[in-house]
Amino acid sequence: MSFENLLSPINIGTLKLRNRVVMGAMGSGTAHDNATVSECECAYYAERAKGGAGLIITEVTRVNNETGVMMPRQTSAATDDCIPGLTKLARAVHFYDGAIFIQLHHPGRQTDNMAIGGRATISPSGIKSMMLQSECREMTNAEIKSFVQDYINAAERCYKAGIDGVELHSAHGYLLNQFISPLTNKRTDEYGGSTENRARVIKEIIEGIRKRVGRDYPVMLRISADEFLRESMFPFSEDGLLLDEAIEICKYLVPFGLDAINVSAGIYETMNQAWEPISFAEGWKIYLAEAVKKAVDVPVFGVGVIRNPEFAEKIIAEGRVDGVTIARGLLADPDWVNKAAAGQVDEIRRCISCLNCMDSMIENGMKGEPFACAINARAAREWFYNDDRRDGDDRLVVVIGGGPAGMEAARKLAQRQFKVVLFEKNSELGGQLCLGNKPPHKDKINWLIDYYKTQLTKLGVDVRLNTPATHNAISALDPYAVFVGTGAEAIVPQSIKGVKKAHVCTSSDILSGKVTLTGKKVAVIGSGMTGVETAELLETQDNEVFVVEMADRIGPDASWQSFSDVQARLMRFGTVFMPAHKLVEIEDQSIKLEQPDGQHIDLAVDHVVLSLGVKADQTLADEILKNFDRVEKIGDTAQVGRIANAVETGFVAAYHLV
């Protein structure tokens, strides 16, 4: 496929883009602690420009350093001392013939009070975020006018720095979005009430930018064309911003000097419509951008789980959008565009929508580290992992285990030109991924398995399936190094009375198909992601399911977005959730549960499924360590964790092997 539409040039105002792929903004946490551009940040964005993206849009960039801070190590354009760093960033992207916009941003009510020095957050009407519950106050009219100047001043700094244009972030519930939404704007002055009044603040920003730097400097608007309040887990009594009014706002603003519109959806209270979990289909919200495009005469870019160049080509060719915005997809594979152009679509490492990037954003930021992609360990760390050496000299390395850690290690080792032999005791590659892809809506996991199969084949890795690794088999190869990634097995606490009964199994047994249940009453013990996903699979197989959790709430350690996505579907099934109940005994036709007050209750069930985590079996690893000089533990063998841990440990060990 030639992707002639996707790869064709397009103009945003006076700026000509080499293709129609826009890298969407994501909060990366790659800036210096003082919010200026770092070398790490330059390398991160330059990698995507090198990979062929037509336009890079940077992360949420502060226009105000007092009330406008959202996260640690967030880039700022709020003061003149930011200009040299922005200049350096522009040069890094231009070196690879890319174009770059800075996304100008203020969080308004969507930040934590501590992030802004203990101050109250600000918003048009002082309505606090249901999600964050941060103290919030209403902006004065004078503050709004000052806030408008913040945007104009920041845009001028970007202009002076050689940045190609700016994007005004009026999506995802941030401050500009708070002004245009009837949910958050109840003002009665000139900035509230009618659609035009609520959009006035953006109009004034655009007009101010035009007066300051001229008509030729590109300005793009990002807008949530539907806030999807009807889909929220929070109780809303109104609809907020809907598509029809969003279209009217876009039509109103374009004549004042907008050059393009970037259409998204959702706010923090409808986060899954803004940053989708794995269950959302590719292109599910393109209809929003399509509707906007019909109403305006400037380029409109659409976003929404776009993972495949064939899909992107199709919607552009059909005239539904002028171009596509891809954020997580370019985090997972910065070479997405170049691979499409070269006819190497099968080599694209497609984002699996696991949301590790979102989960890691704040946690890593607090540690002074960038966010992390689960399937691309180099993401946002290109400055550090910058040595693409080919120094393996055909030295033989044995990798034990064909899970994500073993496959990633084998891929990187082979890329370095080591000769790699991979032992996998099962009949297929994938390890725990071959269980993770079994619950409903988890088919994107197969993309990662397919990617690794393709890579290992093309790199010449000697994959030996149905072949358990033994000391003798490894010794016969006389390896330079041995990587051990033998995975983990389900925890089955022997302290639970009755745990060995025939009607007791583990989540792994259900997911692998070893045990199949239909028309039964089933208790799933443990409400982590594996537990609730197993529960959903059981529900689709016509079982009555009870999810039992010892902690005070269901899913205490699960990823909030992914968990809420599954939980909502379980609630529709009628799944019974039982937090604060400890399993103490399994009987033939019931289980005995202990409540916080010490009282016991009996729950009648036919089967019990244990989902209490996994533990690594270190037996083989310990034997290998005793008998070989260079041994690396990877994946669960090094530390039990998720896909991100597996891929990172595999990559890092292979990268550092000397």
Side-chain angles (χ1 to χ4, degrees), residues 246-421:
I247 290 172
E248 291 307 308
I249 290 170
C250 292
K251 288 167 61 178
Y252 170 68
L253 291 174
V254 165
F256 296 104
L258 269 188
D259 295 303
I261 299 172
N262 193 0
V263 179
S264 187
I267 62 175
Y268 273 18
E269 285 83 356
T270 55
M271 194 171 284
N272 284 357
Q273 279 69 39
W275 305 281
E276 301 90 339
I278 197 168
S279 68
F280 282 69
E282 183 169 30
W284 74 275
K285 60 188 177 190
I286 285 296
Y287 74 95
L288 299 171
E290 181 179 10
V292 172
K293 175 176 165 54
K294 290 177 180 178
V296 298
D297 59 359
V298 295
V300 174
F301 295 82
V303 67
V305 200
I306 297 171
R307 302 290 184 259
N308 295 283
E310 297 93 339
F311 179 83
E313 171 69 16
K314 181 175 184 290
I315 60 176
I316 296 171
E318 291 173 348
R320 299 180 66 190
V321 292
D322 295 297
V324 293
T325 300
I326 301 174
R328 288 178 287 170
L330 293 179
L331 181 65
D333 196 333
D335 294 318
W336 192 95
V337 177
N338 284 349
K339 288 177 179 178
Q344 299 169 337
V345 173
D346 63 335
E347 294 199 49
I348 293 176
R349 181 170 42 208
R350 290 175 286 180
C351 169
I352 59 174
S353 300
C354 69
L355 291 171
N356 186 77
C357 49
M358 296 294 292
D359 293 340
S360 66
M361 194 177 296
I362 299 300
E363 180 182 351
N364 285 12
M366 293 301 180
K367 298 184 294 186
E369 298 175 2
F371 71 164
C373 174
I375 64 174
N376 177 12
R378 284 190 72 234
R381 290 154 182 80
E382 293 84 4
W383 177 253
F384 306 100
Y385 297 121
N386 58 11
D387 188 348
D388 197 22
R389 58 194 184 280
R390 300 286 193 270
D391 58 352
D393 295 327
D394 280 335
R395 288 170 291 176
L396 191 142
V397 179
V398 166
V399 176
I400 305 172
M407 292 189 293
E408 174 64 14
R411 182 196 69 83
K412 185 59 185 174
L413 288 165
Q415 194 178 66
R416 288 184 57 190
Q417 297 185 351
F418 285 95
K419 182 178 180 181
V420 183
V421 177

Side-chain angles (χ1 to χ4, degrees), residues 449-461:
I449 298 172
D450 292 342
Y451 165 77
Y452 278 121
K453 287 180 178 178
T454 298
Q455 290 300 301
L456 300 190
T457 297
K458 291 193 173 186
L459 290 167
V461 174

Side-chain angles (χ1 to χ4, degrees), residues 194-269:
S194 68
T195 299
E196 288 188 4
N197 277 0
R198 282 183 277 119
R200 182 186 301 275
V201 68
I202 303 177
K203 179 196 80 130
E204 291 181 353
I205 291 170
I206 297 169
E207 288 179 323
I209 293 172
R210 292 294 168 229
K211 288 179 182 177
R212 194 76 63 86
V213 300
R215 182 60 187 86
D216 289 343
Y217 194 58
V219 177
M220 175 185 278
L221 178 73
R222 186 161 216 197
I223 188 170
S224 282
D226 189 335
E227 292 182 313
F228 280 100
L229 302 190
R230 61 196 176 277
E231 302 288 339
S232 178
M233 62 183 288
F234 295 94
F236 286 105
S237 58
E238 54 187 298
D239 290 328
L241 186 63
L242 296 172
L243 177 59
D244 286 348
E245 189 174 26
I247 290 172
E248 291 307 308
I249 290 170
C250 292
K251 288 167 61 178
Y252 170 68
L253 291 174
V254 165
F256 296 104
L258 269 188
D259 295 303
I261 299 172
N262 193 0
V263 179
S264 187
I267 62 175
Y268 273 18
E269 285 83 356

Side-chain angles (χ1 to χ4, degrees), residues 11 14 24-25 97 160 169 208 236 358 377 402 514 567 597 622 632:
N11 276 55
T14 59
D97 298 323
K160 289 179 177 178
H169 198 347
F236 286 105
M358 296 294 292
K514 180 180 178 181
Q567 185 184 36
D597 61 3
D622 291 341
E632 296 285 349

Side-chain angles (χ1 to χ4, degrees), residues 49-91:
K50 181 182 178 182
L55 173 64
I56 305 290
I57 301 179
T58 65
E59 66 178 74
V60 287
T61 300
R62 301 174 193 166
V63 298
N64 183 295
N65 287 335
E66 294 183 355
T67 59
V69 180
M70 190 180 75
M71 58 183 286
R73 300 185 69 192
Q74 175 191 6
T75 310
S76 176
T79 55
D80 287 349
D81 61 355
C82 297
I83 294 175
L86 294 171
T87 301
K88 180 169 60 177
L89 178 58
R91 288 172 178 168

